[in-house]
Amino acid sequence: MALPYSIDAHRPIQIGLVTLQSDETIERDFRKLLPQDVELLVSRVPSGATVSLESLCAMEDSLTTSARLLPVGAELTAVGYGCTSASAAIGAERVAELIKAGVPTPHVSDPLTSLIAACQKAGITRIGLVSPYVASVSDRLIQGLEAAGITVSSFGSFDEPSEERVVRIDSASVRNAAIHVGRSGACDAVFMSCTNLRALEVIDDIEAELGIPALSSNQVLAWHLGTLSGFSDRCTRIGRLFDAL
């Protein structure tokens, strides 16, 4: 016997996220940052166990297929690509093109695009950069920032190529690195790059020590997707980013 049913006409705000197979952090951080009534729908893209420019660029071949795995019936107000370094390596415009080829959405963002948008809105022109990765990967990210008019005035890296180890870097190490980099040069903010880095929980402590905004990949991406979708004012306010913007 077929049972009767009705269709719920209410549509919640839905955002999509294409994150890395190796990422263990971004979904946890997003669920802390996003309002409870915003639905997060996630797909994954194959990613290498080690991070290099070659492994980052290789994701270009899979981004459209991964975006197609987001629910067909969803109405995604925006889709994020969860990789800071690959956004610099592949290019933000190309990332957006590939994701829109796989899923209908008016907006695509990524951590690099989000960081640039946040810096421009807050008047930040000089940042201290903390990266977990090897020099060639970090250099490409610095080039992307400087092309947008953002100077990297101080820099430090854990020089770790393994994603499995990056996610295990403890919060005290992340905190200490950000404070060291923030004190090593004249900067308006410090940015902790990598969606897999456990940085969100130490933002407030870093800001208390440095007296300037502390930004992380997941924090700025959640803010920017919220801005594009109209809910950024309801995100959990972790860090001065949400006060400044």
Side-chain angles (χ1 to χ4, degrees):
M1 180 181 70
L3 299 173
Y5 67 90
S6 58
I7 298 294
D8 187 351
H10 171 70
R11 282 278 190 170
I13 296 175
Q14 296 176 308
I15 63 169
L17 177 65
V18 178
T19 189
L20 275 57
Q21 179 183 1
S22 56
D23 198 309
E24 301 178 40
T25 303
I26 190 169
E27 290 169 90
R28 182 201 66 164
D29 284 0
F30 265 40
R31 290 192 168 97
K32 290 180 180 179
L33 288 162
L34 299 181
Q36 289 189 353
D37 62 333
V38 173
E39 291 186 355
L40 175 65
L41 304 174
V42 182
S43 181
R44 295 210 172 233
V45 61
S47 56
T50 60
V51 177
S52 65
L53 284 178
E54 292 74 18
S55 68
L56 293 170
C57 289
M59 280 187 275
E60 184 174 357
D61 296 334
S62 303
L63 273 177
T64 298
T65 299
S66 295
R68 286 195 183 112
L69 294 176
L70 288 163
V72 174
E75 294 182 359
L76 301 172
T77 58
V79 175
Y81 172 47
C83 188
T84 317
S85 297
S87 301
I90 298 170
E93 289 185 5
R94 179 62 173 155
V95 166
E97 176 187 351
L98 291 166
I99 287 178
K100 286 185 174 183
V103 63
T105 183
H107 303 292
V108 174
S109 190
D110 60 78
L112 177 57
T113 298
S114 300
L115 174 62
I116 292 168
C119 287
Q120 290 174 341
K121 185 133 190 194
I124 294 168
T125 60
R126 303 169 301 173
I127 65 168
L129 174 62
V130 177
S131 169
Y133 296 131
V134 296
S136 59
V137 173
S138 301
D139 289 346
R140 184 66 65 90
L141 178 59
I142 292 170
Q143 292 167 13
L145 289 168
E146 293 185 341
I150 300 167
T151 300
V152 177
S153 54
S154 57
F155 171 75
S157 175
F158 296 118
D159 200 30
E160 176 54 63
S162 169
E163 284 281 22
E164 186 176 347
R165 291 179 62 82
V166 166
V167 71
R168 305 287 170 242
I169 296 172
D170 66 23
S171 58
S173 299
V174 177
R175 172 193 178 277
N176 292 341
I179 290 171
H180 172 76
V181 166
R183 287 175 175 163
S184 297
C187 52
D188 306 316
V190 62
F191 175 63
M192 294 163 283
S193 178
C194 180
T195 61
N196 213 6
L197 196 65
R198 301 293 172 105
L200 189 69
E201 54 262 50
V202 294
I203 283 176
D204 289 336
D205 194 16
I206 294 164
E207 291 184 340
E209 285 287 330
L210 294 177
I212 57 175
L215 309 172
S216 76
S217 290
N218 296 341
Q219 175 210 38
V220 296
L221 181 56
W223 164 78
H224 198 222
L225 292 172
T227 299
L228 296 170
S229 302
F231 63 79
S232 61
D233 60 327
R234 297 190 293 112
C235 288
T236 303
R237 306 177 77 82
I238 298 177
R240 298 184 184 188
L241 168 68
F242 294 97
D243 296 330
L245 306 177

